Amino acid sequence: MDGIQGSEVVPAGDGDGGFARARSFAAAVAPVDTAVADVAGLAGLLAAIRPGTDSSGIIDEIRDLEDLKSAMAARQARLAVAFDLLQRQEQAAAGVPAEKLGAGIGAQLALARRESPARGGRLLGLAKALVTEMPHTLAALQAGQLNEWRATLLVRETACLTPADRAAVDAELAPDAGTFAGAGDRSLIAAARAAAYRRDPRSVTERAAHAASARHVSLRPAPDTMCHLTALLPVTAGVAVYKALSGHADTLHAAGDSRTRGQLMADALVERTTGTPDGINGVEIQLIMTDRTLFQADAEPARLPGYGTVPAGWARTLINPAPGRAHSGEGGTPPGHSGPPGPCAAAPNTDTDTDTDRNGDGQSGGPPSGSPIRTGDGAAGDVDDPAFTLWLRRLYTHPGTGELVAMDSRARIFPPGLRRFIQARDDTCRTPYCDAPIRHLDHIIPWHTGGPTTTDNGAGLCEACNHTKEAPGWKARPSPEAEPGNGRNSRHTIELTAPTGNTYHSTAPPLPGTPLRPTATDQPGPRQLHLIRVRAKALKSRRRGALAAA
């Protein structure tokens, strides 16, 4: 669950597991019980402060709060280093091999900060660099002269240096002396790069040469059913790609094409990469929607795995580009495939998993079971053209909670149908705050300890989170709150326990058609109501104590 893609921004030379440099800083952290008491009252103190009544006073308070955020970030950095030291000592005492010391520490910090595991690893690397090698930058952060992001920039631009050179650059820049007052991010980055190059030009040059190995392509959602397709490329390759696309766009535009230059470049990129103008060629696109959205023009949004929520009308247009031309097939299932026969009208309280396969072979991503519908338009083919086939897979859900109907298997490996089921339910990695794509299907309770291969005991995880879950001290189980007989019918929930004993819960995202409000049978039971009352009383007492202290 560390989710680290590439190397952390950590101090160089961690051959001793980080003990030597971190041990001297652990004593600087206040006792835990005192810190907890102070932090618990801080929120109450802030809430009790009356805002300024004039514009100048409000601006002053906003600035003071910004300085306070930076000071808290510095405090978090020191605590992270102290926590890292304690965890490494506990892991070493438990017999963990030296090369595996530190596993899962970034993930625990991420859970505590409500961040993704990948960012948790980066935050731990930032903390180590600030506390052990860049005291001037840490002091500037503590004083509010830098925020956490700008401190990260300084750490990032000196990551290739040795600890001694990095400390020298930190002293040369002296951020705590107001060196960067009024400077923007670009100015700060330029100053850090120049100082790093002066100290060790060879390492900086080698870092630039090594950077090409980090080239990759990523996809992230954008508003209005759009997305950002981003490529990190060597500068020569990136310039060449951009020049080719822009030249092609200029040619078409000069020939009278009405599309804008940006549209022409985007369309050329899709067509040259996939071989088709619309980009769909022999790939499976899954849409999860209710039967009402598909057949009755209901407004309930659909879900596109790998992207997120999409409008109902957009989903129907994707399935049937020419409204009114789609028709139900003869029923039955593909030859040699199992599945429910008959027409493709999903029953009430179902979600429909729609597989669009424009290759026509039904083999994209595994043969789907369900019922076929043939659709088409001028671009995709005629209505009777077998090159465009649509398969609908019916997924039945609980009418009150949207929980999928359970499936199980006696095998250790999740069979294809069960894998599809869990992937449709979980959508992304089930670790709290991690929304990375699912790479592994995991037994929540390990199979070798008696965990069954069922939907209740299965979860979709990214590769990093699955490996971290196997580190010593981590425990997971299906949450008791999701079990029958407790007064609730909640969606699938996982209870994750970190090595420190802190527990976190992960609930499967709501599928299309899930009620916005719980039904009468889904109201909290006596146990849940008691816990809510206890928590409310504790919070009220804490606030009263803070106000009295103020």
Side-chain angles (χ1 to χ4, degrees), residues 355-374:
D355 299 325
T356 302
D357 177 12
R358 291 199 177 180
N359 207 28
D361 56 8
Q363 299 296 325
S364 180
S369 62
S371 304
I373 290 182
R374 291 178 180 175

Side-chain angles (χ1 to χ4, degrees), residues 16 24 51 62 91 97 117 122 145 165 187 272 311 317 328 377 404 447 513:
D16 59 353
S24 60
I62 290 175
Q91 291 176 359
R122 292 193 293 269
Q145 295 173 331
D165 284 339
S187 299
R272 293 186 179 189
T317 301
S328 178
D377 59 12
L404 284 171
W447 187 84

Side-chain angles (χ1 to χ4, degrees), residues 11 23 31 116 131 202 207 219 222 301 315 330 398 434 450 460 544-545:
R23 186 175 290 111
S116 69
V131 173
R202 181 178 177 181
R207 175 185 176 184
L219 181 74
E330 291 77 20
H398 186 282
C434 180
R544 287 177 178 173

Side-chain angles (χ1 to χ4, degrees), residues 464-519:
C465 288
N466 192 27
H467 290 323
T468 299
K469 176 178 173 286
E470 301 303 319
W474 290 91
K475 298 178 182 178
R477 63 167 181 164
S479 175
E481 295 183 358
E483 295 176 358
N486 67 348
R488 299 185 65 185
N489 286 314
S490 61
R491 297 189 305 275
H492 185 261
T493 303
I494 300 172
E495 182 178 280
L496 181 66
T497 303
T500 57
N502 298 85
T503 59
Y504 306 89
H505 292 82
S506 169
T507 302
L511 288 168
T514 302
L516 297 178
R517 297 179 179 84
T519 61

Side-chain angles (χ1 to χ4, degrees), residues 6-30:
S7 60
E8 285 186 4
V9 184
V10 295
D14 262 316
D16 59 353
F19 290 134
R21 289 192 304 278
R23 186 175 290 111
S24 60
F25 296 96
V29 179

Side-chain angles (χ1 to χ4, degrees), residues 333-359:
T333 58
H337 297 175
S338 62
C344 198
N349 299 324
T350 68
D351 289 312
T352 302
D353 184 353
T354 305
D355 299 325
T356 302
D357 177 12
R358 291 199 177 180
N359 207 28

